[in-house]
Amino acid sequence: MLTQTTSRVLEPSDLDAALAILDCDPVANAFVTSRVRVAGLDPWRLGGEMWGWYEDGMLTSLCYAGANLVPICATPRAVRAFADRARRAGRRCSSIVGPAEPTALLWRLLEPSWGPARDVRAHQPLMVTDRMPADVAPDPYVRRIRKDEIETIMPACVAMFTEEVGVSPLAGDGGLLYQARVAELVGSGRSFARLDEHGKVVFKAEIGAATDRACQIQGVWVAPEYRGRGVAAPGMAAVLRYALEDVAPVVSLYVNDFNTAARRTYTRVGFQEVGAFMSVLF
């Protein structure tokens, strides 16, 4: 039997089919799903194109092509088609990120034309929990950041991003896009922190992606002078409580495999490793 395959840019009318693919793995796909459920598939509102891979007329794989290039439920044949499309378009993204296996294949195919990368993080454990820890009490001083506190939280956000990614988010456009993202998280009630008596951030984290089935904690940071003092686990437990009570029944995050302190903290508050992501940073 002849198998017909093709890839194309999805249109708004393809929304239901795209959501069906995204819903196959609500945890791994939380980031893209949250954007699609808000913006649909219109490239201007979505902030990028959604590429689809079809086999026998059925949509089977996706790839989000915006500020990040993200393969979604992508088979090897789909990854090769997405790599061809990405190569022809040229690199427009700041990273490739997604489940480790398809992302690794995508990068192998793109590296000859897109490389070298600034950094490749080949194994980032994906961790999940659906309950509060039994032996870690939430920090009662961790709370939602108010809209009038954006200037208070911004230096901590910049410090976290710079430590994590290796470049400042204020480079390029002067930080306009990054500041808008921080303001969006604060405005939606998904930015949390503990402040000390001087109003300085001690601990902070955000719920960066959220759907009705899963959400993702990101941007976890402890001020350097407070590290090693038992701040992180109670802080994470507090954010986890907010996430489970107000956002979604399953909470996830992914972490660099070399960040042993963070991995210990997440394990202590009940997160369990269920898979791995990979990130290629430009």
Side-chain angles (χ1 to χ4, degrees):
M1 179 182 296
L2 179 63
T3 301
Q4 295 187 352
T5 59
T6 187
S7 69
R8 67 174 177 87
V9 177
L10 299 188
E11 300 175 353
S13 59
D14 299 308
L15 179 60
D16 287 346
L19 286 172
I21 300 297
L22 289 164
D23 287 344
C24 289
D25 192 340
V27 171
N29 299 335
F31 165 69
V32 177
T33 304
S34 65
R35 295 184 68 93
V36 169
R37 289 200 175 275
V38 170
L41 295 178
D42 175 77
W44 187 85
R45 294 185 63 219
L46 186 60
E49 295 179 336
M50 186 70 78
W51 301 340
W53 169 253
Y54 289 80
E55 297 200 24
D56 292 334
M58 295 289 295
L59 182 65
T60 60
S61 301
L62 303 171
C63 186
Y64 172 70
N68 318 103
L69 190 65
V70 186
I72 301 155
C73 300
T75 64
R77 295 180 73 187
V79 170
R80 291 185 177 89
F82 296 148
D84 287 343
R85 184 176 289 274
R87 193 182 302 109
R88 292 195 303 269
R91 184 175 70 80
R92 303 172 185 174
C93 60
S94 59
S95 68
I96 306 172
V97 60
E101 188 172 341
T103 302
L105 175 57
L106 186 58
W107 176 231
R108 284 199 299 273
L109 295 169
L110 288 174
E111 185 176 11
S113 55
W114 280 20
R118 183 171 55 82
D119 195 9
V120 177
R121 299 175 183 181
H123 184 83
Q124 298 172 297
L126 174 65
M127 306 182 76
V128 169
T129 188
D130 61 0
R131 64 199 65 190
M132 290 296 296
D135 57 351
V136 180
D139 185 339
Y141 295 103
V142 170
R143 60 171 176 82
R144 281 190 169 91
I145 291 297
R146 303 188 307 266
K147 293 180 182 179
D148 63 350
E149 294 177 312
I150 289 179
E151 291 187 2
T152 298
I153 198 69
M154 184 61 69
C157 293
V158 171
M160 178 283 305
F161 188 100
T162 304
E163 285 184 37
E164 172 67 19
V165 180
V167 297
S168 170
L170 306 182
D173 66 351
L176 293 177
L177 285 175
Y178 187 71
Q179 292 177 50
R181 176 57 175 162
V182 172
E184 176 190 352
L185 290 169
V186 171
S188 62
R190 303 211 308 266
S191 175
F192 303 87
R194 174 178 179 167
L195 309 183
D196 67 13
E197 63 272 21
H198 305 294
K200 183 179 178 181
V201 175
V202 172
F203 165 90
K204 71 119 192 140
E206 297 92 37
I207 301 172
T211 72
D212 60 354
R213 298 181 65 187
C215 64
Q216 187 177 90
I217 293 176
Q218 65 175 40
V220 180
W221 183 83
V222 175
E225 62 269 31
Y226 284 92
R227 293 174 187 174
R229 294 169 58 177
V231 169
M236 279 297 298
V239 177
L240 178 59
R241 182 176 61 188
Y242 281 111
L244 290 171
E245 289 181 354
D246 299 344
V247 184
V250 176
V251 183
S252 72
L253 55 82
Y254 64 98
V255 57
N256 292 317
D257 58 356
F258 53 80
N259 193 342
T260 54
R263 292 176 68 181
R264 275 198 305 269
T265 295
Y266 302 148
T267 299
R268 188 179 169 203
V269 296
F271 284 88
Q272 296 183 331
E273 187 172 340
V274 296
F277 270 34
M278 174 177 173
S279 297
V280 181
L281 307 178
F282 299 106

